[in-house]
Amino acid sequence: MSQLNKECLPEGFAYFPNVISFNKSLTLYDHLVDSIPWQQPQIQVYGKYHRIPRLQCFIADREVRYGYSGKSLDNVAWLPALSAMRQRLQRQYAKEFNALLLNWYRDGLDTMGWHSDDEKELGAAPLIVSVSLGAPRMFKIRHRQTREVTSIMLETGSCLLMSGESQRDYEHSLPKQTKVTQGRINLTFRTVG
Ligand SMILES: O=C(O)CCC(=O)C(=O)O
Ligand SMILES: [Fe+2]
């Protein structure tokens, strides 16, 4: 597997394009749009309730309990296509993933704000495997101290690895892109508990 622009990304981040073929990635996108029980939970920001600016689904093994950004989601069972992908990633990284967060950005107005995946359930230096399907979107990485920002376009069928101190030292976000009219689904495979 080729790894492009390794030297451009901060430590702990690695980008692998075309881990899934272009056609397969878009077929899987359509399948997940139709098959996943998408939710748009409310979150409280400065005392006011808002619906998150994207749709979401948390898939996990039965024993997993996980509050994402203070909001616990209902566990949903693994679909066959997602179980198959999990198996492949577990073999590849010699790591068990018991949870998967799916985010569906319906167009460029759907976003994810600055955050780190540093919940204590994920452990000290988590390995998070992030697979992108559908429209390419810009992903931003910001160093907590220097505030330096690195941008990378996440393309359909690509895989972004976040490991080591990437969550401790950096935040990441998916900003608004008003010209993007197509949707994107992101899958983050995680190990919880
Ligand atoms: O959509 C993305 O690429 C980012 C998703 C993300 O940061 C997350 O699920 O924690
Ligand atoms: Fe994240």
Side-chain angles (χ1 to χ4, degrees):
M1 191 158 53
S2 71
Q3 184 184 333
L4 297 183
N5 73 339
K6 180 183 177 196
E7 53 292 338
C8 306
L9 288 182
E11 192 170 340
F13 294 85
Y15 180 67
F16 301 89
N18 306 312
V19 166
I20 306 171
S21 79
F22 186 82
N23 288 332
K24 273 196 181 153
S25 69
L26 297 184
T27 303
L28 182 56
Y29 172 87
D30 288 337
H31 173 60
L32 295 177
V33 164
D34 292 341
S35 321
I36 291 291
W38 295 105
Q39 299 181 347
Q40 193 176 20
Q42 307 229 31
I43 48 160
Q44 205 177 350
V45 185
Y46 302 119
K48 276 184 70 181
Y49 282 95
H50 301 269
R51 291 204 173 275
I52 61 166
R54 62 189 175 277
L55 301 185
Q56 208 168 61
C57 180
F58 184 64
I59 292 183
D61 292 343
R62 200 185 294 278
E63 70 279 3
V64 173
R65 294 303 316 150
Y66 185 35
Y68 182 82
S69 294
K71 172 85 197 165
S72 40
L73 300 168
D74 297 330
N75 287 15
V76 168
W78 295 84
L79 292 179
L82 297 175
S83 288
M85 192 183 295
R86 162 161 78 157
Q87 290 294 330
R88 178 183 161 189
L89 295 172
Q90 289 188 153
R91 270 198 303 273
Q92 184 160 356
Y93 296 111
K95 174 94 190 162
E96 286 191 15
F97 300 107
N98 58 11
L100 166 59
L101 182 69
L102 297 97
N103 281 290
W104 177 21
Y105 306 89
R106 294 158 294 179
D107 60 27
L109 298 181
D110 276 351
T111 61
M112 169 95 72
W114 288 110
H115 70 282
S116 310
D117 296 287
D118 58 356
E119 293 87 355
K120 63 177 183 304
E121 299 96 315
L122 294 174
L127 172 65
I128 296 176
V129 181
S130 164
V131 175
S132 293
L133 308 170
R137 289 289 296 264
M138 197 63 88
F139 182 82
K140 292 192 178 265
I141 300 165
R142 181 171 74 187
H143 193 273
R144 282 182 192 274
Q145 268 80 49
T146 67
R147 315 301 278 176
E148 189 183 344
V149 175
T150 306
S151 299
I152 177 172
M153 189 69 89
L154 299 183
E155 292 170 301
T156 195
S158 72
C159 180
L160 178 75
L161 292 192
M162 297 189 277
S163 63
E165 307 302 343
S166 58
Q167 307 301 331
R168 189 197 64 184
D169 296 344
Y170 297 89
E171 297 175 295
H172 54 271
S173 70
L174 199 88
K176 191 184 285 188
Q177 284 181 270
T178 51
K179 294 194 176 78
V180 174
T181 57
Q182 302 290 102
R184 167 178 180 270
I185 290 173
N186 177 258
L187 315 174
T188 46
F189 290 84
R190 298 154 185 256
T191 310
V192 177

